[in-house]
Amino acid sequence: MAKFQPPLRLLLIGSPGSGKGTQSERIQKNFSVSHISSGDSLRKNVAQKSDIGLQAAAAMAKGNLVSDDLMTLLIKSELDQVNNANWLLDGFPRTIEQARILDSMLIKNMQPLNLVINLVVPEEVILGRIIDRWVHIPSGRVYNLSYNPPKVAGHDDVTGEPLSKRPDDNPDTFKVRIQNYHTLTAPLLEHYEKVMITLKGNTSDEIYPQIERELVNRFGMMPRRLETSS
Ligand code: ATP
Ligand code: MG
């Protein structure tokens, strides 16, 4: 008899540019998992000039964090839309206060986080990545001019729409983002230590197979490319 498997409640944590978005895209491609990205969702709000976007834009441009209250509002509405399916969070929670709010939200309505993956990539590798990074704002798809270029320069592979450079992807703002990561987000590693694993690598190609192995071994999840052959 098949063993009961709880739905995946995954958090990807890691410094700016550690590949959370890229890994999320791959997980989504290979498994039935909804992706909630606080950064993607904020950038969409900024592009649409929504109330949330207007309130968040200045802090984001400087590399500072948006307030916990605003983030909670945003993520709550995203979580309401995915109900009880497998999901993964990328970019939220990012402070101890946000983690407490999320934990209590999940206890009331859903299963708590059951896996936290800490992505560790050397800082000098990351800086090179963000300088070359372009994004498709509506979908959050990420391209890199050196190792993952779009098929047509400056355009998204799927929709053909134009790509943008994130205003916070420059060396000065990156410094602020890294500092904020160390002071505000790194304490979460201890908060989630019971459900956390750390995966290291210089490239997302090195790290992704390790993530996949964890999802298969811990949750009995089957990558789509293998489903048809069994
Ligand atoms: P990367 O996308 O390369 O992993 P990152 O983690 O710095 O880098 P995003 O997660 O896209 O970037 O976030 C971009 C900006 O959005 C942050 O610098 C911050 O201003 C804001 N932001 C995103 N998530 C949160 C959050 N949970 N709390 C507060 N601010 C946030
Ligand atoms: Mg991201």
Side-chain angles (χ1 to χ4, degrees), residues 16-17 20 38-39 43 64 66 71 91 94 98 133 166 177:
K20 301 183 294 282
S38 57
R43 279 183 285 281
N64 286 324
V66 172
M71 290 313 300
R94 226 185 183 83
Q98 289 177 12
R133 173 160 76 174
R166 279 172 51 172
R177 288 162 59 200

Side-chain angles (χ1 to χ4, degrees), residues 11-134:
L11 166 66
L12 291 185
I13 199 165
S15 73
S18 57
K20 301 183 294 282
T22 303
Q23 302 296 0
S24 299
E25 229 175 286
R26 293 191 188 181
I27 294 170
Q28 256 191 314
K29 205 157 143 198
N30 285 295
F31 300 95
S32 299
V33 175
S34 303
H35 173 209
I36 299 168
S37 159
S38 57
D40 290 354
S41 171
L42 283 169
R43 279 183 285 281
K44 255 184 264 171
N45 275 277
V46 171
Q48 293 161 354
K49 300 194 162 61
S50 72
D51 277 353
I52 289 186
L54 293 173
Q55 289 179 67
M60 289 175 74
K62 289 194 204 123
N64 286 324
L65 294 194
V66 172
S67 75
D68 291 339
D69 286 351
L70 202 60
M71 290 313 300
T72 305
L73 204 69
L74 182 79
I75 296 299
K76 198 173 174 313
S77 87
E78 299 263 348
L79 282 175
D80 283 345
Q81 289 166 41
V82 293
N83 60 54
N84 210 34
N86 293 325
W87 53 245
L88 83 87
L89 278 174
D90 145 15
F92 181 96
R94 226 185 183 83
T95 63
I96 287 281
E97 181 56 22
Q98 289 177 12
R100 293 203 179 108
I101 294 168
L102 176 72
D103 294 349
S104 62
M105 232 151 65
L106 295 181
I107 285 171
K108 262 189 242 145
N109 303 315
M110 315 174 169
Q111 283 84 359
L113 292 182
N114 44 27
L115 182 61
V116 175
I117 298 182
N118 174 30
L119 300 175
V120 176
V121 179
E123 215 158 293
E124 63 281 7
V125 175
I126 288 179
L127 183 60
R129 274 185 192 179
I130 65 145
I131 305 287
D132 276 351
R133 173 160 76 174
W134 288 77

Side-chain angles (χ1 to χ4, degrees), residues 148-188:
N148 171 33
K151 291 187 184 119
V152 178
H155 293 270
D156 176 47
D157 287 354
V158 178
T159 63
E161 288 166 355
L163 300 178
S164 327
K165 191 84 194 116
R166 279 172 51 172
D168 57 349
D169 274 353
N170 62 72
D172 287 340
T173 313
F174 182 72
K175 259 186 229 151
V176 180
R177 288 162 59 200
I178 282 274
Q179 262 162 21
N180 282 331
Y181 171 77
H182 287 301
T183 48
L184 299 169
T185 308
L188 291 191

